Amino acid sequence: MQTRKAIKLPSGASCVIRKLCGMDFLNSKEIPQVFGEPSKESKSADAAAVERGVAISRLALTRACSPLTMPDKRRLKIVEKELDELKPGEIAVEEMSDEDANAIITGVLELTNMTREAATTIAPFPEKQEATGGSSPAGEDLRADPGSGVANAAG
């Protein structure tokens, strides 16, 4: 299983991304919703889902991405700071191009298996359906003959 990957960004910069781990979520106090569908009951549930998505995107950018190596060989660490607080060698999340940010976030989510496709593969099985026909499930028509150990038709 791959846990790291070097990627080239649309801007020409490059970086190494890694999958998110449990400690990333614990440190951020953001627990992903793995099972179930988002609630469609209220707009507040939708707003909460958007907030979770933003938080996970910020985790991908700030915790699961190495400093960016720019085309001019400068290295910039992605941070969550105000512009006037940035130090040399740092870039704020808000300063990044949307294309570069999306490439990093998408790559991290794919490595972490947090895509829509992965969610459908880990969804729980549907509830057991009630039997509707008169026929018995496969194999119930056969019973073992106690004397011979051979299965015979039940009768």
Side-chain angles (χ1 to χ4, degrees):
M1 174 183 0
Q2 186 177 14
T3 59
R4 292 183 189 193
K5 180 179 173 182
I7 61 172
K8 185 90 165 170
L9 302 175
S11 67
S14 60
C15 63
V16 175
I17 57 172
R18 67 169 174 82
K19 65 187 276 184
L20 293 170
C21 65
M23 290 305 294
D24 294 322
F25 295 107
L26 287 174
N27 290 332
S28 73
K29 298 178 179 58
E30 181 61 43
I31 306 300
Q33 179 179 354
V34 178
F35 295 108
E37 293 291 319
S39 173
K40 295 177 182 165
E41 299 171 355
S42 68
K43 291 189 180 203
S44 63
D46 290 339
V50 169
E51 287 176 14
R52 278 193 306 274
V54 169
I56 290 172
S57 296
R58 288 185 176 274
L59 277 177
L61 293 169
T62 60
R63 294 189 57 92
C65 180
S66 71
L68 306 177
T69 302
M70 305 307 287
D72 62 4
K73 304 299 180 208
R74 290 178 300 135
R75 291 187 40 92
L76 300 175
K77 181 180 179 182
I78 304 169
V79 295
E80 288 191 88
K81 291 183 178 179
E82 297 295 325
L83 292 176
D84 60 347
E85 297 174 352
L86 292 175
K87 296 177 185 170
E90 294 179 334
I91 183 171
V93 170
E94 290 79 10
E95 286 185 298
M96 296 184 65
S97 73
D98 289 342
E99 295 83 12
D100 282 357
N102 287 336
I104 293 168
I105 293 164
T106 300
V108 169
L109 294 179
E110 286 173 355
L111 282 175
T112 309
N113 283 332
M114 291 181 73
T115 61
R116 289 184 194 271
E117 294 80 21
T120 59
T121 62
I122 63 170
F125 289 109
E127 294 294 323
K128 186 177 179 181
Q129 296 181 0
E130 297 292 324
T132 58
S135 64
S136 62
E140 278 197 18
D141 291 340
L142 299 176
R143 302 270 193 263
D145 182 8
S148 68
V150 178
N152 292 324

